[in-house]
Amino acid sequence: MTRSLFYTDKENKLREEVRAFAKEKLEPLREKCTLDREFPREALRLMAKEGYCGCIHDPKYGGNNEGTGTVNESIVAEEIAYVNGAIEMTRLVSATLFGMPLATFGSEEQKEKYLPKLIKGEIIGAIAMTEDQVGSDLTRMQAFARKEGDEWVLNGHKRFITNGGHADVISVFCRTKTVEEEKNARKAITGFLVEKGFPGFKVAFEYPLAGMEGGSVARLEFNDCRIPEDQLLGEECKGFQQLMAELNTERVGMAAACVGHSQRAYDDALLYSTQREQFKQKIRNFEWVSFRLADCATKLQAARLLTIEAAKTIDAHQDATLIASMAFAYGTEMETEVTTSALYTLAGEAITANSSAVMSAHRMAPVMWVVGGTTDIQKFIISREIYKSLK
Ligand SMILES: Cc1cc2nc3c(=O)[nH]c(=O)nc-3n(C[C@H](O)[C@H](O)[C@H](O)COP(=O)(O)OP(=O)(O)OC[C@H]3O[C@@H](n4cnc5c(N)ncnc54)[C@H](O)[C@@H]3O)c2cc1C
């Protein structure tokens, strides 16, 4: 049930178009990710060709955001995630997590250099914050860049970087002031656009993933990596603020992906419950089966409505901090419950089939608890926001 009064006719039409595209063009590529662990570069090109990497971007650079970019992005994210989690994460990270800070804070030259190619799927983007000692707390970054003539020299590493093994350009966030120079890390972090060919940059390795198979999550190393001065993103020491500014849009995309993965698992389970017979009847006749699926349908719709509200709040230029974290936190927990219920329904059938879409949606659930800030961190934000209303 994806139709709702909360979507306009135009948005419903977009959903139908993306769904038809994903079924025809992406579904045949799904097993290449899940079974062969092939990075979905071809899928990214196909999505870009349809304009799905340009939802949040200005038409000036080839995008198609005419004021409802976040809503459109959430519809695209949901429908692509329905087919495969790795394909959607690859798109979301390149087009939005990398693309948005560039679009918001990049210089005109930087935007002209990268955005049209990114939107066309000719280049892939990534964003690098996490380090061995830096997870939820971004203020502990150790990677450091110092100015030398008209270049910056970056040393350090980044871990768990989505698209890292295949990205052409990565926005890397690091300190540019030592702790002695600036104790407050929020005033010491700067973003740089690092291209894969820059001397001193290397992809150390890609992690063998236990979910999101086919996606690339890599460890990156910077050894005296030389970055031309004009690759600095926005202003020096404003990196932390840049990261915070994009979070709500990122969370809406992630929340929509949770809905997409879960809807697929639920749809497959619902159908199976009408086909499988035990004790001389269809298993849907057992209330434990049909009530479990009824719960799934309800939670799915609740997650979708939170997501659309968050997306519309962003498009209306209102503060979406609370609703975006609600949508994302609820989405991750809903995904865990719904994909588990779907597995229960298919039972041995899902567990013994490596290619099962239900199993692969289920393996996306832990990924979604962690990427883009853990569910605990979303709840911390929600708690901080709700208490503000008492002040
Ligand atoms: C598949 C995948 C892709 C990723 N892609 C990227 C990427 O593209 N770029 C990038 O920079 N990073 C990426 N990451 C890293 C991701 O953002 C971090 O893993 C995440 O922020 C959590 O950090 P951590 O794993 O170090 O956990 P930690 O921060 O060490 O957390 C450990 C536990 O403590 C809890 N915790 C921590 N602080 C608090 C708190 N204040 N309140 C309550 N609980 C708390 C957490 O919720 C968690 O349960 C990716 C990670 C994964 C798994």
Side-chain angles (χ1 to χ4, degrees), residues 127-130 135-136 160-162 367 370-371 374 376-377:
I127 180 164
M129 302 158 280
T130 305
S136 302
F160 300 164
I161 306 310
T162 303
V367 174
V370 174
V371 285
T374 67
D376 292 334
I377 294 297

Short mmCIF file of all heavy atoms in Angstrom, two decimals, residues 127-130 135-136 160-162 367 370-371 374 376-377, ligand 1:
data_model
loop_
_atom_site.label_atom_id
_atom_site.label_comp_id
_atom_site.label_asym_id
_atom_site.label_seq_id
_atom_site.Cartn_x
_atom_site.Cartn_y
_atom_site.Cartn_z
N ILE A 127 31.92 9.88 0.75
CA ILE A 127 32.16 10.86 1.81
C ILE A 127 32.86 10.14 2.96
O ILE A 127 32.46 9.05 3.35
CB ILE A 127 30.84 11.54 2.26
CG1 ILE A 127 31.07 12.56 3.37
CG2 ILE A 127 29.77 10.54 2.68
CD1 ILE A 127 29.91 13.51 3.59
N ALA A 128 33.94 10.75 3.47
CA ALA A 128 34.80 10.05 4.44
C ALA A 128 34.96 10.84 5.72
O ALA A 128 35.58 11.91 5.73
CB ALA A 128 36.16 9.79 3.80
N MET A 129 34.38 10.31 6.79
CA MET A 129 34.50 10.91 8.11
C MET A 129 35.10 9.93 9.12
O MET A 129 35.93 10.27 9.94
CB MET A 129 33.12 11.34 8.63
CG MET A 129 32.40 12.29 7.73
SD MET A 129 30.62 12.26 8.01
CE MET A 129 30.12 10.84 7.11
N THR A 130 34.61 8.67 9.07
CA THR A 130 34.89 7.68 10.09
C THR A 130 36.36 7.24 10.10
O THR A 130 36.98 7.08 9.04
CB THR A 130 33.98 6.46 9.86
OG1 THR A 130 32.63 6.93 9.82
CG2 THR A 130 34.12 5.43 10.94
N GLY A 135 33.72 7.23 15.44
CA GLY A 135 32.48 6.62 14.96
C GLY A 135 31.37 7.63 15.12
O GLY A 135 31.28 8.61 14.39
N SER A 136 30.56 7.43 16.18
CA SER A 136 29.46 8.37 16.44
C SER A 136 29.99 9.76 16.78
O SER A 136 29.35 10.76 16.48
CB SER A 136 28.61 7.85 17.60
OG SER A 136 28.12 6.57 17.30
N PHE A 160 35.51 2.30 6.76
CA PHE A 160 34.09 2.04 6.48
C PHE A 160 33.52 3.03 5.46
O PHE A 160 32.41 3.53 5.64
CB PHE A 160 33.25 2.17 7.77
CG PHE A 160 33.60 1.25 8.90
CD1 PHE A 160 33.13 1.52 10.19
CD2 PHE A 160 34.34 0.11 8.69
CE1 PHE A 160 33.42 0.67 11.25
CE2 PHE A 160 34.64 -0.75 9.76
CZ PHE A 160 34.18 -0.47 11.04
N ILE A 161 34.25 3.33 4.40
CA ILE A 161 33.78 4.35 3.47
C ILE A 161 33.01 3.72 2.30
O ILE A 161 33.60 3.02 1.46
CB ILE A 161 34.96 5.23 2.96
CG1 ILE A 161 35.73 5.81 4.16
CG2 ILE A 161 34.44 6.35 2.03
CD1 ILE A 161 34.88 6.50 5.23
N THR A 162 31.70 3.99 2.28
CA THR A 162 30.84 3.46 1.21
C THR A 162 31.25 4.04 -0.13
O THR A 162 31.53 5.25 -0.22
CB THR A 162 29.36 3.79 1.50
OG1 THR A 162 29.04 3.25 2.77
CG2 THR A 162 28.43 3.17 0.47
N VAL A 367 22.88 -2.94 8.73
CA VAL A 367 23.59 -1.86 8.02
C VAL A 367 22.88 -0.54 8.32
O VAL A 367 23.51 0.48 8.62
CB VAL A 367 23.61 -2.13 6.49
CG1 VAL A 367 24.21 -0.95 5.74
CG2 VAL A 367 24.37 -3.41 6.18
N VAL A 370 23.40 1.35 11.52
CA VAL A 370 24.74 1.93 11.75
C VAL A 370 25.05 3.10 10.82
O VAL A 370 25.55 4.13 11.28
CB VAL A 370 25.81 0.81 11.60
CG1 VAL A 370 27.20 1.38 11.70
CG2 VAL A 370 25.60 -0.26 12.67
N VAL A 371 24.77 2.95 9.51
CA VAL A 371 25.19 4.02 8.58
C VAL A 371 24.41 5.31 8.85
O VAL A 371 23.24 5.27 9.24
CB VAL A 371 25.01 3.67 7.08
CG1 VAL A 371 26.05 2.71 6.60
CG2 VAL A 371 23.63 3.16 6.77
N THR A 374 24.06 5.90 14.23
CA THR A 374 23.34 4.72 14.74
C THR A 374 21.94 5.11 15.22
O THR A 374 21.64 6.28 15.45
CB THR A 374 24.09 4.06 15.92
OG1 THR A 374 24.05 4.95 17.03
CG2 THR A 374 25.53 3.72 15.57
N ASP A 376 20.75 4.54 18.06
CA ASP A 376 20.89 5.17 19.39
C ASP A 376 21.10 6.67 19.25
O ASP A 376 20.52 7.47 20.01
CB ASP A 376 22.11 4.60 20.14
CG ASP A 376 21.92 3.15 20.53
OD1 ASP A 376 20.77 2.72 20.69
OD2 ASP A 376 22.94 2.44 20.69
N ILE A 377 21.93 7.04 18.28
CA ILE A 377 22.22 8.48 18.10
C ILE A 377 20.95 9.21 17.64
O ILE A 377 20.66 10.32 18.08
CB ILE A 377 23.40 8.69 17.11
CG1 ILE A 377 24.70 8.13 17.73
CG2 ILE A 377 23.56 10.14 16.71
CD1 ILE A 377 25.18 8.81 19.00
C1 LIG B 1 28.11 -0.49 5.90
C2 LIG B 1 28.66 0.79 6.46
C3 LIG B 1 28.86 1.89 5.64
C4 LIG B 1 29.39 3.08 6.16
N1 LIG B 1 29.63 4.14 5.31
C5 LIG B 1 30.28 5.23 5.78
C6 LIG B 1 30.68 6.29 4.89
O1 LIG B 1 30.38 6.26 3.70
N2 LIG B 1 31.40 7.31 5.40
C7 LIG B 1 31.76 7.39 6.72
O2 LIG B 1 32.43 8.33 7.10
N3 LIG B 1 31.38 6.42 7.59
C8 LIG B 1 30.67 5.33 7.15
N4 LIG B 1 30.30 4.33 8.01
C9 LIG B 1 30.62 4.45 9.41
C10 LIG B 1 29.38 4.75 10.26
O3 LIG B 1 28.96 6.07 10.07
C11 LIG B 1 29.77 4.45 11.71
O4 LIG B 1 29.99 3.05 11.77
C12 LIG B 1 28.71 4.89 12.68
O5 LIG B 1 28.65 6.29 12.78
C13 LIG B 1 28.92 4.31 14.08
O6 LIG B 1 30.25 4.36 14.45
P1 LIG B 1 30.94 3.04 15.08
O7 LIG B 1 30.65 1.90 14.18
O8 LIG B 1 32.36 3.38 15.32
O9 LIG B 1 30.19 2.79 16.42
P2 LIG B 1 30.40 3.59 17.82
O10 LIG B 1 30.23 5.05 17.63
O11 LIG B 1 31.68 3.13 18.42
O12 LIG B 1 29.19 3.05 18.66
C14 LIG B 1 29.21 1.79 19.34
C15 LIG B 1 27.91 1.65 20.10
O13 LIG B 1 27.78 2.72 21.07
C16 LIG B 1 26.59 3.46 20.87
N5 LIG B 1 26.82 4.87 21.14
C17 LIG B 1 27.88 5.64 20.79
N6 LIG B 1 27.72 6.90 21.22
C18 LIG B 1 26.52 6.95 21.83
C19 LIG B 1 25.74 7.98 22.47
N7 LIG B 1 26.18 9.25 22.58
N8 LIG B 1 24.52 7.67 22.99
C20 LIG B 1 24.04 6.40 22.90
N9 LIG B 1 24.73 5.38 22.31
C21 LIG B 1 25.93 5.66 21.77
C22 LIG B 1 26.26 3.24 19.39
O14 LIG B 1 24.86 3.46 19.11
C23 LIG B 1 26.67 1.79 19.19
O15 LIG B 1 25.66 0.94 19.67
C24 LIG B 1 29.72 3.16 7.53
C25 LIG B 1 29.50 2.05 8.36
C26 LIG B 1 28.98 0.88 7.85
C27 LIG B 1 28.77 -0.30 8.75
#
